[in-house]
Amino acid sequence: MNSVYLNSLEEFLKYQDSKEKMYLLLVSENCDFNHETIKKLNVNCYGAIFPEIIFGGKHYKDGLIAIDILIEPILVNNMENKIEDEKKFSSIKSMLLFVDGLSPYIDPFLVSLFESTNEECKIFGGGAGKMTLRQERVIFTPEHITQNSALIIPLAQDLDVGVSHGWEYLDGPHVATSSSKNVLEQIDYEYAFDVYKSIVEKDSGLTFNENNFFELAKSYPLGIVSYSGEIIVRDPIASDGKSLVLVGVMPQNSVIQVLKGKKSKLIEAAKFAAINAMDNKKEKEKEIGIVIMIDCISRVLFLEDTFVKEIDSVRAIIGGLPLVGALTLGEIANKSDRYIDFYNKTCVVGTL
């Protein structure tokens, strides 16, 4: 998979030299991307819009990455609907998957997709969207740009994935006693925000007000304790003073913890994700052509200027291999025959 970073849509239009070639575009939020231009010129490209993108050792708030692809992607136009044409997916051995990261239908869609793919299928990717945290049309094909949608990119290469987050226990366990999709209404039969607020304010020494919710919450995610003991991180992004709005579903009666981060631990976690992805490939004695890093935009907001150290920690493991990626609203990965997980505040590294 050849890849290139380009400063603008205009540069991409000059770069793409054949109507026969297909491209996957990872587009940054501040790029001058205009889908009407793509549609009018009938450019054979598919992709999604993200807060930022990763290329080499840097992360970019503008521009786009163009990646050559061989197999035509599949658009799932409405994630609310159960997948019915299972034959489309049953033969896919590995795939990149980008979804509308602010859709309330992500988790049921992932269940439906899991049921439609064979148990050996490897899947990873992330949630598209913008830092406005308003749902917009961010998934596109040559003909359409949509929301509440998913883009599946079947891969000709063998895929291996490493997943790690680095967030640590602060408080709990608690129980999500009332929730609806991605809205957590009650913790331990009290308003979710009241419980969360008391824990965060006590630890941070700071006070929530109407303007600083995200600024405080970015350092204190929630963790769902899975049956295996693994912690699935959920990112609180807003509150109405009673409930918490999350990126991703919070199942009712989930056992949850309040988590806290140290910058060094998050950077180390990205390294572990890369090690796991590389080791899996080496065990199979397969060559690696490209490494794709899907990382949560809220890790950038937490790490600030030190986020580049997280990229460097991955590059230290992969050596001179090409590195591309996106900073996302939620991360996606599965482990062979296990369900597809939708993570927040997590680093996912895939080797192809």
Side-chain angles (χ1 to χ4, degrees), residues 15-276:
Y15 169 80
Q16 58 94 29
D17 57 1
S18 169
K19 298 293 183 186
E20 305 305 316
K21 278 189 179 180
M22 281 189 295
Y23 298 94
L24 171 65
L25 301 186
L26 308 181
V27 181
S28 66
E29 179 176 339
N30 292 335
C31 181
D32 62 338
F33 183 77
N34 186 325
H35 187 265
E36 284 300 315
T37 302
I38 296 293
K39 186 175 180 180
K40 182 179 178 180
L41 297 177
N42 194 29
V43 181
N44 200 7
C45 62
Y46 303 75
I49 301 169
F50 303 97
E52 297 184 28
I53 53 178
I54 297 169
F55 189 82
K58 297 181 180 180
H59 57 112
Y60 297 87
K61 294 182 178 180
D62 52 18
L64 59 85
I65 298 167
I67 305 170
D68 297 357
I69 53 175
L70 300 174
I71 305 171
E72 184 175 343
I74 301 165
L75 176 68
V76 179
N77 199 38
N78 189 346
M79 290 194 292
E80 186 176 6
N81 298 331
K82 183 175 172 60
I83 293 172
E84 294 182 352
D85 187 7
E86 296 185 4
K87 290 181 181 177
K88 224 183 236 187
F89 307 104
S90 59
S91 62
I92 298 175
K93 293 183 178 179
S94 58
M95 67 171 73
L96 261 174
L97 172 64
F98 297 125
V99 302
D100 177 347
L102 294 174
S103 171
Y105 307 116
I106 294 171
D107 282 73
F109 166 73
L110 293 179
V111 171
S112 182
L113 180 63
F114 178 81
E115 292 171 349
S116 303
T117 55
N118 71 71
E119 63 179 22
E120 299 300 321
C121 183
K122 295 283 188 69
I123 300 168
F124 95 120
K130 300 181 180 180
M131 283 306 297
T132 59
L133 300 180
R134 292 193 300 268
Q135 193 176 15
E136 300 181 40
R137 297 184 298 162
V138 290
I139 303 287
F140 61 87
T141 68
E143 298 84 18
H144 306 288
I145 183 165
T146 63
Q147 64 183 43
N148 278 327
S149 302
L151 187 68
I152 294 168
I153 303 99
L155 300 170
Q157 303 91 334
D158 187 41
L159 167 68
D160 284 286
V161 178
V163 180
S164 188
H165 58 75
W167 299 92
E168 298 181 310
Y169 171 86
L170 172 64
D171 194 275
H174 301 278
V175 178
T177 44
S178 179
S179 61
S180 176
K181 296 179 181 173
N182 64 325
V183 178
L184 176 57
E185 297 157 341
Q186 292 185 359
I187 298 174
D188 301 337
Y189 298 101
E190 299 181 38
Y191 287 134
F193 179 66
D194 287 348
V195 176
Y196 180 73
K197 177 176 181 287
S198 66
I199 296 166
V200 171
E201 289 185 345
K202 180 180 178 181
D203 184 75
S204 67
L206 302 171
T207 302
F208 280 104
N209 60 49
E210 60 183 20
N211 298 316
N212 71 350
F213 177 85
F214 192 73
E215 185 64 26
L216 275 183
K218 69 182 184 182
S219 302
Y220 295 93
L222 300 177
I224 302 172
V225 183
S226 69
Y227 292 116
S228 66
E230 181 183 12
I231 302 297
I232 307 297
V233 182
R234 283 288 175 265
D235 200 358
I237 57 171
S239 174
D240 61 2
K242 296 180 180 179
S243 301
L244 296 173
V245 180
L246 313 173
V247 179
V249 165
M250 173 66 71
Q252 191 154 308
N253 297 320
S254 294
V255 176
I256 58 176
Q257 301 173 350
V258 179
L259 307 176
K260 183 180 179 179
K262 293 179 182 176
K263 291 184 177 182
S264 60
K265 292 290 186 181
L266 268 68
I267 293 166
E268 190 176 24
K271 180 182 77 173
F272 287 142
I275 288 171
N276 289 337

